[in-house]
Amino acid sequence: MTSSVPDRPPAPAGSPRDRLLAATVEHVARHGLADLSLRALADAIGTSHRMLIYHFGSKEGLLAEVVAAVEAGQREILAGLAASDEPAPVAVRRFWRGLTDPAVREHERLFFEIVALAIQGRPGTERLRETLVEPWVEVVAADGVRRGLPPDVARAQARLGMAVTRGLLLDLLATDDLEGVDAAMELFLAAFVPE
Amino acid sequence: MTSSVPDRPPAPAGSPRDRLLAATVEHVARHGLADLSLRALADAIGTSHRMLIYHFGSKEGLLAEVVAAVEAGQREILAGLAASDEPAPVAVRRFWRGLTDPAVREHERLFFEIVALAIQGRPGTERLRETLVEPWVEVVAADGVRRGLPPDVARAQARLGMAVTRGLLLDLLATDDLEGVDAAMELFLAAFVPE
DNA sequence: GAGTAGATGTACCACGTGGTACAGGCAAGG
DNA sequence: CCTTGCCTGTACCACGTGGTACATCTACTC
């Protein structure tokens, strides 16, 4: 391969750095970050490991950006939830429908892998850890209060909803039984959001 | 250290292999298995990495035994749940009370780390993956049917309970806020087990 | 067209890894 | 006492790792 023609046509988008990060996230979502090596990663996404070091400084730097990307995704979802007028259960249902896409599930799997690191207190996951529960509970609890619940009940309920969502998501990832998990979710929604 | 005197007094229990495994599980529960190296592990638990290879064949073999140990712990809890006459919520509450012990929480953290591997389909986690949801749902659903629920409702409810427990456990591990999480759990129990 | 700065490829390095060879140590049993 | 079989420690090996040096290539700007 003399790489004769420049052929920039398929160049995805963004800076080369962004492209590398996106490809890394995708690869890691599929293969996990447990025994990731820069070389194997580079081969898989079509670069040299030199490039990864060049653009991200170190493996640790790259991983930190992956964590940051996942965290940013979380915050984006949260922001959408906080901004919209729709009641929480509607938002949950929309999120839930998205999980029919296997690619989405892969990303959620990565999310859990990173959460496992975060609850271990690994350096670099501090911010993620802060994003994990509090802000969600706050937003959803505010929604509950707006609908007339006492603040403490709204808080506990929000926290419960968060747990249900994550617990059932974990279930879904383990069993791949979308229907069964969906039934459980509907049961919860019916019991706690009587509208 | 010429290891002059044999001094077998503190020898904990079981075969040396058992002792090594127990020490490994303990260490891994505290430090995670993300960048575990046989040497570092051996130093930490007071052996040589040679011993680990000798007794477990390979690092992979050792890790497999750790996974098996965690899995066995799960099955033991499940067996206790299936055998006892007490209704499921009582059992849940007992489990929940156990979490006040930080050491227990450390082990639960390890459980999640391994679950993250299992939902990734890592080789060696197949059995764990089977243990993860189905048997629990079955046992708890049977409990529900015994209390008069229609089978499909009992199943969905059991699945929901499983998810709540795991979701709130995850919450607890992330926030260390035992009280807040407990309030959410009580809310769930009150709504779904009206006795 | 020369110069410049970002981007990329090749070759290399030191290091820590999992695993092995081998030489014992230590008890039980003849 | 000598053997036998489980253990354990020391030294070593080949390999893959993250990271670096350096040469290059490719735009873009003057």
Side-chain angles (χ1 to χ4, degrees):
Chain A
M1 306 295 171
T2 53
S3 79
S4 44
V5 50
D7 76 272
R8 190 70 47 73
S15 69
R17 199 188 131 99
D18 292 344
R19 275 177 282 140
L20 284 182
L21 180 57
T24 298
V25 169
E26 197 136 337
H27 178 266
V28 154
R30 242 192 291 275
H31 301 87
L33 37 80
D35 2 88
L36 185 71
S37 97
L38 290 186
R39 254 116 170 156
L41 170 61
D43 285 356
I45 69 178
T47 352
S48 73
H49 86 289
R50 177 65 185 77
M51 284 301 94
L52 296 169
I53 297 279
Y54 173 75
H55 285 287
F56 301 95
S58 67
K59 182 183 184 181
E60 199 178 353
L62 174 58
L63 257 6
E65 298 247 12
V66 170
V67 171
V70 168
E71 186 196 340
Q74 288 290 111
R75 268 206 299 269
E76 196 175 332
I77 298 176
L78 179 61
L81 178 63
S84 88
D85 290 342
E86 63 189 3
V90 175
V92 170
R93 256 183 262 257
R94 222 197 13 229
F95 168 71
W96 214 245
R97 266 200 300 276
L99 292 175
T100 47
D101 182 352
V104 172
R105 262 178 286 173
E106 263 172 9
H107 277 263
E108 293 298 329
R109 202 183 38 57
L110 173 59
F111 170 68
F112 268 111
E113 198 176 353
I114 290 180
V115 166
L117 296 184
I119 63 179
Q120 221 169 116
R122 286 301 182 86
T125 60
E126 299 84 2
R127 289 187 59 203
L128 206 224
R129 211 175 155 185
E130 290 165 14
T131 314
L132 230 43
V133 177
E134 250 319 288
W136 298 86
V137 169
E138 217 160 311
V139 165
V140 177
D143 183 76
V145 169
R146 215 172 302 125
R147 293 204 332 271
L149 290 174
D152 56 335
V153 173
R155 252 194 93 76
Q157 198 163 308
R159 204 148 184 180
L160 181 57
M162 185 85 232
V164 167
T165 307
R166 294 223 170 115
L168 285 178
L169 178 53
L170 206 56
D171 183 339
L172 175 62
L173 293 175
T175 64
D176 237 301
D177 173 15
L178 194 52
E179 294 171 29
V181 168
D182 205 59
M185 176 57 96
E186 287 302 328
L187 192 65
F188 171 73
L189 290 177
F192 276 91
V193 193
E195 87 202 46
Chain B
M1 306 299 169
T2 54
S3 77
S4 46
V5 50
D7 75 271
R8 190 71 44 76
S15 68
R17 199 188 129 100
D18 291 345
R19 273 177 282 140
L20 285 181
L21 180 57
T24 299
V25 169
E26 198 136 335
H27 178 266
V28 154
R30 242 191 292 273
H31 300 88
L33 37 80
D35 4 85
L36 184 72
S37 97
L38 290 186
R39 254 119 171 152
L41 170 62
D43 284 357
I45 69 178
T47 352
S48 73
H49 86 289
R50 177 66 184 77
M51 284 300 93
L52 297 169
I53 297 279
Y54 173 76
H55 284 286
F56 300 96
S58 67
K59 182 183 185 181
E60 197 179 354
L62 175 58
L63 258 7
E65 299 246 14
V66 170
V67 171
V70 169
E71 186 196 342
Q74 288 290 110
R75 268 207 299 270
E76 198 174 332
I77 298 175
L78 179 61
L81 179 62
S84 88
D85 290 342
E86 64 189 5
V90 175
V92 169
R93 255 182 264 257
R94 224 198 11 231
F95 167 72
W96 213 245
R97 264 199 303 273
L99 292 175
T100 46
D101 180 354
V104 172
R105 261 177 288 173
E106 262 172 10
H107 276 263
E108 293 298 329
R109 203 183 37 57
L110 173 59
F111 170 68
F112 268 111
E113 197 176 355
I114 290 180
V115 165
L117 295 185
I119 64 180
Q120 219 169 117
R122 285 301 181 86
T125 60
E126 300 85 2
R127 289 187 61 203
L128 207 225
R129 213 176 153 184
E130 289 164 13
T131 314
L132 230 43
V133 177
E134 250 318 288
W136 298 86
V137 169
E138 217 161 310
V139 165
V140 177
D143 184 75
V145 169
R146 213 174 302 124
R147 293 200 337 269
L149 289 174
D152 56 334
V153 174
R155 252 195 93 77
Q157 199 165 308
R159 203 149 184 179
L160 180 58
M162 184 87 230
V164 167
T165 307
R166 295 225 169 113
L168 284 179
L169 178 53
L170 206 57
D171 183 340
L172 175 61
L173 293 175
T175 65
D176 238 301
D177 173 14
L178 194 53
E179 293 171 31
V181 168
D182 206 60
M185 175 56 97
E186 288 302 328
L187 192 65
F188 172 73
L189 289 176
F192 275 91
V193 193
E195 86 202 46

